[in-house]
């Protein structure tokens, strides 16, 4: 076995871009609202409430991940 020193490979860390959760949360809110609304005999009201809750949850998650919904001035 060789006892010569070997150079350690440097780990390169890739910077991943933040991904928006808004479309997924809105879709889940829509389907959950529609399903629960059908069971509760109030489809329109509960679907709107599901969309509202999904949108607010998606916005909250995206704001914590640093996703901006406005254009940055350059």
């Amino acid at each position: 076995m060789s006892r010569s020193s070997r150079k350690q490979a440097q780990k390169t860390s890739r910077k991943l871009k933040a991904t928006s959760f808004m479309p997924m949360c809105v879709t889940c809110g829509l389907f959950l609202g529609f399903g629960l609304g059908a069971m509760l005999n109030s489809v329109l009201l509960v679907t709107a409430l599901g969309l509202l809750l999904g949108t607010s949850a998606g916005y909250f998650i995206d704001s914590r991940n640093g996703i901006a919904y406005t254009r940055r001035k350059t």
Side-chain angles (χ1 to χ4, degrees), residues 23 27 67 71:
T27 305
I67 294 177
R71 289 187 180 185

Side-chain angles (χ1 to χ4, degrees), residues 3-26:
R3 292 195 178 249
S4 64
S5 64
R6 295 182 185 169
K7 249 187 179 177
Q8 293 289 331
Q10 291 181 353
K11 291 184 180 179
T12 57
S13 61
R14 259 189 334 191
K15 179 104 176 160
L16 296 176
K17 290 183 179 179
T19 305
S20 177
F21 278 90
M22 179 72 80
M24 183 180 66
C25 290
V26 170

Side-chain angles (χ1 to χ4, degrees), residues 37-73:
M39 290 190 323
L40 296 173
N41 292 330
S42 179
V43 175
L44 187 61
L45 179 67
V46 179
T47 302
L49 192 65
L51 280 173
L52 181 69
L53 289 174
T55 304
S56 61
Y59 184 78
F60 178 72
I61 292 170
D62 285 351
S63 67
R64 296 208 28 155
N65 286 340
I67 294 177
Y69 291 110
T70 58
R71 289 187 180 185
R72 293 185 181 135
K73 295 182 180 179

